[in-house]
Amino acid sequence: MKLVIVQFSIIFILLTSSLFVLSTADSSCGGKCNVRCAKASQHDLCIKDCNICCQKCNGCVPSGTFGHRDECPCYRDMKNSKGGPKCP
């Protein structure tokens, strides 16, 4: 019985800690993408694409509202279905 309780406790701790890490990464991307898309004419689309890129690139978003793509090679190199840049 004690073994079952210990196993349940370990599983619970692992699950809650991974959820915390995921939510932290999401909030980090949100803040960075808000800065990146601050001057975008299509703000909602920019935020959506930026968040996708940020999550795939482990939280890396270039600084500023434009340019600086060399700061994040993963972000820079992602392409859309037409071969153009995916990330704003």
Side-chain angles (χ1 to χ4, degrees):
M1 182 68 176
K2 289 183 181 180
L3 182 60
V4 172
I5 292 172
V6 170
Q7 288 174 337
F8 177 77
S9 299
I10 290 171
I11 291 171
F12 179 76
I13 290 169
L14 289 173
L15 287 174
T16 55
S17 65
S18 66
L19 289 174
F20 175 74
V21 169
L22 289 175
S23 67
T24 303
D26 289 343
S27 64
S28 172
C29 285
K32 292 176 183 178
C33 288
N34 279 335
V35 171
R36 185 73 179 172
C37 297
K39 296 182 179 179
S41 60
Q42 295 180 336
H43 189 263
D44 293 338
L45 181 60
C46 181
I47 291 288
K48 180 184 139 226
D49 288 343
C50 181
N51 278 310
I52 291 169
C53 295
C54 179
Q55 289 172 1
K56 288 185 178 181
C57 294
N58 299 318
C60 189
V61 175
S63 62
T65 58
F66 186 78
H68 308 285
R69 291 178 180 265
D70 289 335
E71 294 174 5
C72 300
C74 170
Y75 193 96
R76 176 195 65 211
D77 297 339
M78 289 181 82
K79 304 292 182 196
N80 63 20
S81 61
K82 296 178 181 177
K86 167 75 176 168
C87 306

